[in-house]
């Protein structure tokens, strides 16, 4: 039996004693949702007049109706796969073709209650379908934009009428070089897709979700991040794909965890609670979490803001020098939020020696944060990208720094827009959690933690996830994201992600006259 | 060193059933009565608590208010008979400005005194009108920073009320001029004189007692003060309209008096000061396009405090294109700065202060402090249903509210606002609310960000902003 076909163990000891379990392949496999009643836009009701003739099974091309082998009756419809009235045009509409008229179609009332302005029900469902199938979402869902009324949701691509001849989808590169510094001895690390996973700490997030994130990162030759909760030993087999984060609380930061990493990230601030630091509620501070963070069980743990050793760019440089000395090969990343002077921060970080400047905008974040901070403090990432990119260009250092952005990046279209505005790549956080079944109810901190088992340390709730299911969902998500991104580049006639950077001429804004000569 | 200001909150659950946002509806005729009902597995124990409450008749409980909307029961039900719905009663709460979300979050703060917290980022609109088109700044690497709510540094939310001398001079070592009276409020807010329809005796009494406990000032009309009897305290600010001058001992205990603006307001203030020596006398005026000019003139006449009143949604009282407080305050503050008399008058902004962020943003736009009105009534379970306006029976029986309960809810609300103000000040790297006034450098405005980020790429906005 190969590792790929084994069930991935859930216990840490098994992981460490069987390094082959760390093997993971970049293969799309169907990963159905883990709840009995998955949420879709439409619901189909089968009346008791159904005679199980199987006509619906025969004509439905979306897998809504099935009659498993050995069953006498057609089972309850998988209505979340239904594309709705649109199907009528195909001539294969189950409602119209049922000989008994036993089927009826309605909009799912629960679907309307999902999500919010930024993550609309359609965006959530699109993500779930990508995570299940590894393919682009179906057209009956508005999968490209949300309904926030600004930023990415008002930006559109302007696709040329003709695609340059000779450009083939399979030749389009989505690679991203993370070390752009010239005359720098550190490795020129490249990742296969222009994104990596955001930091979610041990203590805030189910360890199984964390493991799946890094396994998917390994499959896609990209990175995940420890967050600030320390470096559990279960991550060691994936150390080449795990960023060690050094945050203000310095939880679990040790010489060996710094030396283990290919990238070390300093978290100066985070978009969800800029200027406020982190806070792990006492209930989540279990014995395992406390041991990892070298803290007392059950006490609330604060990651204060800011780094009290850093009050200037010169101090920042000393900080980076410290890590550069401890690990002679790691790339250095500085994660900052988006204040008024974010351009100065970015150029300062470059001058201090950072290879990667990671800007986290105000509307993102996965962990619990005060609502007042999420809505009001620091600027949305859409503004920061454009400003920082232009500033770095003007300073003549744009090609020596990798600009990574996060904070509200939901889908491949957001990724492409961010890069066209001037980013090199992005960090994903919430999108990965949604793929694992997050519905953004926002109750990460209530009671025993996330009721859906994603952001919790509760022993019973942890069992709601398995590592292999989560891994497959995330591998599928990455695959679908890349497929969409390649499709966008192909339609734009651009041969690589690197060539898309700063191409604002391929964008238009619905609220603007778009009358400027926008050729770069 | 003076004692640190702290608001002691205590859990005060609602006295009547509040409206929640989400509820679970089940179609019981389809229920198969399986032995593994998902209701047993509710992570939050809502159904269990509901059953206990029904059986034992213990207190108030409503799972529509308490349901977290995690969908676990809906998605796991064997027969798929559960449906999540948005409570239609919830959608009827408040109005276009005081949205259902604002009403619900105010109730939460009044109940717990805590800061509303949630995960998964921000889910609201990208930006909006008025205060929703401002973002506050945060410090990072290149500026000094503060520890915020859980930190080691003390952030002072106190503000001064009254005129400050532009300079002092001495005559044989003694001050030539007696400094004008000055008051300090531990929070940059005052309680406003709530509308008549809500001003039932226990409500007014609760507000006055809460103001006294908090040490903030409360505007109350003299007739209401008279009804309070022995409960009146120095935190009361008599609000005198109709040409009164605070005579007849009605302002005996007051440290400050506020009178309505009029053509003869300077004389009225002088008369009021004569009747009530040593008191600050403030002038309350309507916010309109001439307000900046008027406030500068008042300051030049020696008026110590100007209370500029916008409508309940934070807009000017103008028939055509009223501006939001955001722009009106900036103009007034800017005019005072330009005239070099900013510290000679305290600017109090009223109207549309619905959330703690509005308080901070109004101060950034130039106010010294704000007044709060409707949120105080919301804290007492009001739903802004408007039935009292139509002389119908109040759905939450505000007239019969227990004053101690109401006071506790208001103190909790202010405790939460205080904590949230600390969060914003800490993030901005500001240690004193006094220093926040007019600090537009610690703020980002929608139109400026749009111009800088998108204007140079896409040209002009279609709406001209």
């Amino acid at each position: 039996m190969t590792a790929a076909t084994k069930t991935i163990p859930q216990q840490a000891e098994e992981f460490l004693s069987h390094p082959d379990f760390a093997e993971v392949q970049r293969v799309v496999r169907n990963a159905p949702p883990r709840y009995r009643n998955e949420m879709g836009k439409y619901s189909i009701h089968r009346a008791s007049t159904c005679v199980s003739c199987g006509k619906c099974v025969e004509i439905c091309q979306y897998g809504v109706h099935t009659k498993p082998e050995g069953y006498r009756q057609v089972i309850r419809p998988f209505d979340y796969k239904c594309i709705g009235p649109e199907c009528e045009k195909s001539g294969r509409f189950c409602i119209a073709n049922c000989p008994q008229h036993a089927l009826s179609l309605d909009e799912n009332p629960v679907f309307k209650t999902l999500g919010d302005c930024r993550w609309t029900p359609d965006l959530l469902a699109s993500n779930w379908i990508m995570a299940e199938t590894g393919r682009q979402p179906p057209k009956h869902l508005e999968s490209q934009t949300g309904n926030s009324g600004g930023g990415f949701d008002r930006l559109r691509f302007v696709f040329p009428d003709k695609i340059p001849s000779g450009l083939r989808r399979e030749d389009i590169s989505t690679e991203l070089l993370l070390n752009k510094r010239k005359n720098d001895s550190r490795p020129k690390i490249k990742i296969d897709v222009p994104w990596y996973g955001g930091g979610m700490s041990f203590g805030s997030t189910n360890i199984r979700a964390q493991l799946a994130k890094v396994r998917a990162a390994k499959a896609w030759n990209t990175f995940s991040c420890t967050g600030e909760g320390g470096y559990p030993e279960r991550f060691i087999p994936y150390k080449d794909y795990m960023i060690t984060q050094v945050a203000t609380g310095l939880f679990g930061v040790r010489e060996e965890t710094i030396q283990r990493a290919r990238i070390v990230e300093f978290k100066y601030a985070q978009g969800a609670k800029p200027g406020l630091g982190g806070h792990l509620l006492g209930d989540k501070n279990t014995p395992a979490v406390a041991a990892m963070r070298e803290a007392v069980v059950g006490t609330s743990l604060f990651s204060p803001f800011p780094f009290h050793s850093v009050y200037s760019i010169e101090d920042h440089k000393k900080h980076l020098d410290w890590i550069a000395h401890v690990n002679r090969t790691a790339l250095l990343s500085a994660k900052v939020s988006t204040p008024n002077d974010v351009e100065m921060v970015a150029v300062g970080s470059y001058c201090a020696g950072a290879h990667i400047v990671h800007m986290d905008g105000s509307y993102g974040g996965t962990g619990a944060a005060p609502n007042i901070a999420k809505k009001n403090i620091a600027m949305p990432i859409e503004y920061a990208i454009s400003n920082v990119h232009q500033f770095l260009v003007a300073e003549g250092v744009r090609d020596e720094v990798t600009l990574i952005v996060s904070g509200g990046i939901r889908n491949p279209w957001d990724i492409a827009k961010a890069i066209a505005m001037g980013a090199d790549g992005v960090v994903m956080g919430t999108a990965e959690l949604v793929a694992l079944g997050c519905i953004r109810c926002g109750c990460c901190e209530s009671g025993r933690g996330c009721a859906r088992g994603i952001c919790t340390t509760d022993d019973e709730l942890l069992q709601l996830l398995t590592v292999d299911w989560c891994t497959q969902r995330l591998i599928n998500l990455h695959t679908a994201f890349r497929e969409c991104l390649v499709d966008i580049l192909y339609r734009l006639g651009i041969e690589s992600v690197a060539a898309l950077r700063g191409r604002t001429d391929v964008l238009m804004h619905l609220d603007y006259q778009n009358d400027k000569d926008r050729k770069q | 060193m003076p004692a640190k200001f702290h608001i002691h909150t205590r859990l005060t659950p609602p006295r009547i059933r509040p409206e929640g946002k989400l509820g679970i509806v089940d179609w019981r005729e389809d229920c198969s009565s399986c032995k593994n009902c998902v209701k047993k597995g509710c992570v939050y124990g809502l159904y269990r608590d509901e059953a206990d409450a029904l059986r034992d008749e213990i207190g108030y409980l409503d799972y529509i208010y308490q349901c977290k909307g995690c969908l676990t029961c809906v998605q796991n039900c064997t027969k798929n008979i559960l449906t999540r719905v948005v409570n239609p009663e919830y959608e009827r709460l408040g109005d276009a400005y005081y949205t259902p979300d604002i009403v619900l979050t105010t109730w939460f703060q009044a109940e717990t005194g805590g800061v509303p917290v949630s995960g998964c980022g921000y889910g609201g609109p990208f930006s909006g009108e008025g205060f929703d088109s401002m973002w506050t700044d945060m410090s990072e690497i290149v500026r000094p920073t503060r520890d915020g709510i859980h930190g080691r540094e003390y952030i002072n939310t106190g503000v001064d009320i009254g005129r400050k001398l532009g300079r002092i001079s001495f005559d044989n070592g003694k001050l030539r001029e007696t400094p004008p009276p000055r008051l300090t409020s531990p929070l940059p807010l005052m309680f406003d004189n709530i509308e008549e329809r809500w001003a039932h005796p226990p409500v007014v009494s609760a507000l006055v007692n809460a103001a006294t406990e908090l040490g903030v000032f409360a505007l109350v009309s003299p007739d209401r003060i008279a009804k309070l009897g022995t409960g009146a305290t120095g935190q009361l600010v008599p609000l005198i309209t109709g040409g009164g001058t605070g005579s007849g001992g009605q302002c005996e205990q007051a440290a400050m008096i506020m009178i309505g603006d009029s053509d003869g307001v300077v004389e009225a203030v002088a008369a009021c000061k004569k009747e009530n020596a040593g008191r600050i006398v403030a002038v309350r005026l309507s916010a309109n396009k001439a307000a900046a000019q008027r406030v500068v003139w008042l300051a030049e006449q020696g008026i110590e405090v100007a209370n500029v009143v916008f409508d309940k949604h934070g807009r000017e009282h103008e028939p055509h294109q009223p501006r939001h407080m955001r722009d009106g305050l900036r103009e007034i503050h800017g005019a005072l700065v330009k005239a070099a008399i900013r510290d000679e008058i305290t600017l109090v902004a009223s109207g549309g202060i619905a959330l703690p962020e509005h308080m901070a943003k109004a101060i950034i736009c130039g106010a010294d402090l704000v007044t709060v009105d409707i949120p105080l009534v919301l804290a007492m379970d009001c739903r802004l249903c408007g039935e009292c306006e139509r002389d119908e029976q109040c759905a939450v029986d505000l007239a019969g509210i227990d004053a101690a309960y109401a006071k506790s809810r208001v103190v909790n609300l202010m405790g939460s606002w205080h904590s949230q103000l600390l969060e914003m000040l800490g993030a901005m790297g500001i240690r004193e609310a006094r220093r926040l006034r007019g600090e537009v450098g610690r703020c980002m405005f929608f139109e400026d960000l749009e111009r800088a980020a998108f204007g140079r790429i896409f040209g002009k906005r279609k709406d001209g902003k």
Side-chain angles (χ1 to χ4, degrees):
Chain A
M1 189 166 69
T2 65
T5 58
K6 286 174 189 169
T7 299
I8 302 302
Q10 309 300 319
Q11 301 306 318
E13 300 71 31
E14 291 178 275
F15 251 93
L16 293 170
S17 58
H18 293 278
D20 54 321
F21 285 140
E23 290 174 22
V24 58
Q25 295 173 334
R26 190 188 296 180
V27 176
V28 170
R29 296 190 185 89
N30 200 43
R34 61 191 161 102
Y35 289 98
R36 183 181 180 87
N37 310 313
E38 179 63 354
M39 295 296 140
K41 196 164 189 171
Y42 301 103
S43 63
I44 291 180
H45 181 69
R46 189 190 303 281
S48 57
T49 50
C50 171
V51 294
S52 285
C53 66
K55 180 73 175 174
C56 53
V57 179
E58 182 190 314
I59 61 171
C60 180
Q61 50 191 334
Y62 300 103
V64 176
H65 302 285
T66 53
K67 189 174 180 181
E69 206 174 320
Y71 278 54
R72 284 192 296 118
Q73 294 184 328
V74 179
I75 63 172
R76 193 153 57 86
F78 293 106
D79 43 12
Y80 74 95
K81 297 180 179 180
C82 177
I83 66 163
E86 186 74 9
C87 188
E88 203 163 1
K89 296 176 195 160
S90 69
R92 300 169 72 96
F93 191 39
C94 62
I95 310 297
N97 285 286
C98 175
Q100 300 295 318
H101 304 292
L103 297 171
S104 57
L105 173 74
D106 285 304
E107 287 196 9
N108 183 355
V110 183
F111 191 74
K112 292 179 192 167
T113 70
L114 290 173
D116 47 56
C117 295
R118 297 191 66 78
W119 277 89
T120 58
D122 281 41
L123 278 183
L124 289 169
S126 304
N127 179 297
W128 291 332
I129 288 174
M130 287 191 274
E132 177 178 354
T133 65
R135 304 295 305 276
Q136 294 196 40
K139 292 194 167 44
H140 75 283
L141 296 171
E142 174 48 72
S143 55
Q144 300 184 15
T145 55
N147 196 25
S148 72
F152 292 133
D153 288 342
R154 302 297 287 169
L155 288 170
R156 297 288 186 275
F157 281 106
V158 183
F159 293 106
D161 296 334
K162 282 186 181 174
I163 295 162
S165 58
L167 182 64
R168 302 185 310 168
R169 279 186 165 85
E170 53 269 37
D171 294 336
I172 290 174
S173 168
T174 56
E175 280 186 343
L176 173 61
L177 177 64
L178 293 177
N179 179 6
K180 295 179 187 293
R181 280 183 175 268
K182 300 180 180 90
N183 306 317
D184 185 87
S185 61
R186 303 205 171 216
K188 298 290 178 190
I189 297 175
K190 270 186 181 175
I191 52 179
D192 288 355
V193 283
W195 63 78
Y196 53 82
M200 295 176 208
S201 67
F202 178 64
S204 70
T205 310
N206 188 333
I207 181 74
R208 298 177 182 187
Q210 283 188 291
L211 268 170
K213 274 163 52 70
V214 72
R215 284 171 60 77
K218 179 177 179 181
W220 267 100
N221 184 35
T222 181
F223 285 89
S224 186
C225 178
T226 59
E228 62 173 327
Y231 201 124
E233 289 193 331
R234 290 169 78 168
F235 296 161
I236 292 174
Y238 309 99
K239 62 183 171 56
D240 287 346
Y241 305 94
M242 184 61 101
I243 296 169
T244 293
Q245 188 179 81
V246 180
T248 53
L250 299 176
F251 295 121
V253 174
R254 299 175 188 172
E255 197 166 279
E256 63 267 25
T257 62
I258 293 170
Q259 288 175 337
R260 196 178 284 152
R262 294 165 74 202
I263 302 176
V264 178
E265 174 181 278
F266 270 105
K267 185 176 78 178
Y268 283 89
Q270 54 188 324
K273 36 198 166 186
L276 304 182
H279 180 189
L280 186 76
L281 295 174
D283 288 346
K284 280 189 165 183
N285 186 8
T286 61
V289 173
M292 183 59 60
R293 298 191 181 211
E294 299 176 76
V296 177
V297 177
T299 56
S300 289
L301 299 178
F302 296 101
S303 221
F305 182 84
F307 275 113
H308 287 285
S309 48
V310 178
Y311 282 91
S312 67
I313 291 299
E314 292 74 22
D315 292 342
H316 177 38
K317 178 164 172 29
K318 283 184 202 164
H319 235 194
L320 294 174
D321 286 347
W322 159 47
I323 295 295
H325 183 77
V326 176
N327 184 333
R328 303 296 175 99
T329 58
L331 303 189
L332 307 175
S333 170
K335 179 179 177 180
V336 297
S337 189
T338 49
N340 216 345
D341 51 7
V342 61
E343 303 94 331
M344 295 302 297
V345 173
V347 84
S349 281
Y350 162 75
C351 293
H355 299 89
I356 299 168
V357 174
H358 173 185
M359 299 189 305
D360 195 21
S362 62
Y363 285 168
T366 53
N371 293 348
I372 194 169
K374 292 194 293 189
K375 178 184 172 191
N376 296 292
I377 304 178
M379 70 172 85
I381 194 64
E382 289 93 328
Y383 295 137
I385 298 170
S386 172
N387 292 347
V388 170
H389 171 69
Q390 297 293 338
F391 194 77
L392 292 172
V393 169
E395 291 291 310
V397 297
R398 183 63 191 91
D399 289 332
E400 292 226 28
V401 60
T402 303
L403 184 62
I404 298 291
V405 302
S406 61
I409 307 287
R410 301 158 294 184
N411 58 34
W413 290 273
D414 285 353
I415 295 173
K417 289 170 190 172
I419 294 170
M421 290 294 288
D424 287 293
V426 307
V427 161
M428 276 200 295
T430 302
E432 288 189 320
L433 299 188
V434 171
L436 303 184
C438 170
I439 56 164
R440 288 175 56 77
C441 64
C443 300
C444 319
E445 89 300 347
S446 299
R448 293 150 61 193
C450 170
R452 301 175 74 87
I454 302 165
C455 294
T456 181
T457 52
D458 180 273
D459 281 341
E460 186 185 343
L461 295 175
L462 286 178
Q463 313 302 322
L464 293 174
L465 300 183
T466 62
V467 175
D468 41 359
W469 180 83
C470 294
T471 305
Q472 193 58 58
R473 294 277 288 192
L474 293 177
I475 288 174
N476 290 354
L477 187 77
H478 291 327
T479 308
F481 270 35
R482 186 179 183 278
E483 186 182 318
C484 292
L485 187 57
V486 167
D487 190 55
I488 292 167
L489 289 166
Y490 177 74
R491 291 171 62 197
L492 289 171
I494 295 175
E495 72 283 4
S496 69
V497 160
L500 178 63
R501 190 190 77 192
R503 285 287 304 273
T504 52
D505 59 307
V506 300
L507 289 170
M508 59 95 67
H509 195 301
L510 297 181
D511 296 333
Y512 282 78
Q513 294 175 356
N514 299 294
D515 53 358
K516 276 203 165 185
D517 176 12
R518 293 184 282 114
K519 276 284 175 200
Q520 297 297 293
Chain B
M1 184 180 170
K4 292 180 178 178
F5 178 65
H6 182 72
I7 297 175
H8 297 278
T9 60
R10 62 184 175 88
L11 191 66
T12 311
R15 68 198 158 106
I16 49 173
R17 185 176 70 87
E19 299 297 346
K21 181 174 184 179
L22 298 168
I24 305 297
V25 174
D26 52 5
W27 304 98
R28 293 191 184 182
E29 62 268 31
D30 288 338
C31 177
S32 62
S33 299
C34 72
K35 302 292 183 197
N36 299 309
C37 182
V38 286
K39 291 183 175 179
K40 293 179 188 170
C42 175
V43 171
Y44 305 105
L46 295 188
Y47 295 104
R48 185 181 60 239
D49 293 347
E50 181 193 34
D52 290 346
L54 288 173
R55 188 178 57 247
D56 303 332
E57 294 184 357
I58 48 168
Y60 129 87
L61 185 138
D62 186 349
Y63 74 94
I64 290 186
Y65 178 56
Q66 294 174 336
C67 174
K68 306 282 185 191
C70 72
L71 282 181
T72 307
C73 60
V74 173
Q75 289 195 265
N76 277 332
C77 174
T78 314
K79 295 280 283 181
N80 197 15
I81 64 167
L82 299 177
T83 303
R84 186 174 79 171
V85 293
V86 176
N87 179 5
E89 291 294 330
Y90 165 82
E91 291 181 315
R92 278 198 280 271
L93 293 174
D95 56 27
Y97 188 82
Y98 285 89
T99 60
D101 274 352
I102 290 181
V103 175
L104 204 60
T105 192
T106 305
W107 286 347
F108 169 83
Q109 293 165 66
E111 177 176 348
T112 65
V115 175
V117 170
S118 63
C120 275
Y122 171 64
F126 186 83
S127 67
E129 295 297 314
F131 290 132
D132 285 347
S133 60
M134 292 169 71
W135 291 271
T136 59
D137 198 17
M138 49 86 63
S139 299
E140 206 146 43
I141 298 172
V142 297
R143 274 210 306 263
T145 48
R146 305 297 169 204
D147 275 349
I149 182 171
H150 301 298
R152 294 164 292 195
E153 287 177 291
Y154 179 56
I155 297 176
N156 191 335
T157 54
V159 291
D160 301 320
I161 303 170
R163 191 163 71 90
K164 290 175 188 160
L165 295 174
R167 61 176 181 277
I168 51 176
S169 55
F170 296 89
D171 186 12
N172 288 329
K174 289 184 180 173
L175 275 173
R176 277 207 181 125
E177 191 179 356
T178 307
R182 197 175 64 174
L183 299 171
T184 299
S185 171
L187 280 173
L189 59 82
M190 297 164 70
F191 292 173
D192 213 325
N193 192 43
I194 55 171
E195 287 181 37
E196 192 61 37
R197 57 188 169 125
W198 294 313
H200 306 291
V203 173
V204 176
S205 173
L207 289 177
V208 171
N209 291 338
T212 304
E213 180 172 324
L214 295 165
V216 301
F217 295 95
L219 292 170
V220 185
S221 57
D223 58 317
R224 293 180 192 170
I225 294 175
K227 287 180 194 164
L228 282 171
T230 54
T233 73
Q235 299 307 124
L236 288 179
V237 178
L239 176 61
I240 299 166
T241 52
T245 56
S247 58
Q250 59 181 317
C251 303
E252 256 175 12
Q253 293 189 45
M256 178 165 58
I257 301 155
M258 186 173 285
I259 64 174
D261 192 18
S262 65
D263 288 342
V265 72
V266 176
E267 293 75 22
V269 168
C272 187
K273 278 196 165 282
K274 194 174 175 185
E275 292 269 356
N276 304 281
R279 268 66 154 199
I280 291 174
V281 178
V283 173
R284 186 169 169 102
L285 66 153
S286 176
N288 53 37
K289 289 199 166 59
Q293 199 181 356
R294 182 72 176 170
V295 172
V296 170
W297 183 80
L298 288 171
E300 286 168 348
Q301 304 309 309
I303 302 299
E304 300 154 295
V305 178
N307 176 203
V308 184
V309 183
F310 294 79
D311 74 9
K312 65 180 181 180
H313 293 174
R315 293 168 305 205
E316 288 174 331
H317 297 278
E318 288 283 353
H320 303 296
Q321 298 182 325
R323 293 176 302 174
H324 188 265
M325 180 188 278
R326 185 196 92 142
D327 302 310
L329 284 176
R330 289 179 77 186
E331 186 182 61
I332 297 169
H333 173 74
L336 288 167
V337 170
K338 195 173 176 188
I341 50 174
R342 181 61 190 89
D343 278 339
E344 292 180 25
I345 192 164
T346 301
L347 188 57
V348 185
S350 296
I353 303 296
L355 293 165
E357 71 221 42
H358 296 172
M359 170 172 60
K361 289 177 177 178
I363 295 171
I364 287 172
C365 290
D368 289 279
L369 67 162
V370 299
T371 71
V372 190
D373 47 12
I374 293 174
L376 302 174
V377 191
L378 292 177
M380 300 181 197
D381 307 315
C382 176
R383 294 147 195 232
L384 293 184
C385 63
E387 292 190 1
C388 51
E389 270 181 306
R390 299 186 290 273
D391 270 343
E392 292 169 8
Q393 190 178 5
C394 175
V396 296
D397 188 21
L398 213 51
I401 196 168
D402 176 61
Y405 162 86
K407 176 196 145 193
S408 181
R409 298 270 294 188
V410 170
V411 169
N412 281 353
L413 181 68
M414 291 300 106
S416 175
W417 280 35
H418 177 241
S419 297
Q420 292 174 79
L421 180 61
L422 290 183
E423 297 277 35
M424 295 188 87
L425 289 169
M428 281 185 272
I430 288 185
R431 285 186 66 181
E432 279 193 284
R434 292 178 182 91
R435 296 179 69 99
L436 187 62
R437 187 191 73 192
E439 264 284 6
V440 288
R442 297 291 169 97
C443 178
M444 296 166 275
F445 292 94
F446 172 80
E447 55 273 22
D448 296 337
L449 289 174
E450 284 278 316
R451 200 177 304 116
F454 295 143
R456 62 184 165 195
I457 301 169
F458 303 115
K460 289 184 179 163
R461 279 183 67 88
K462 291 174 183 170
D463 60 10
K465 282 186 182 172

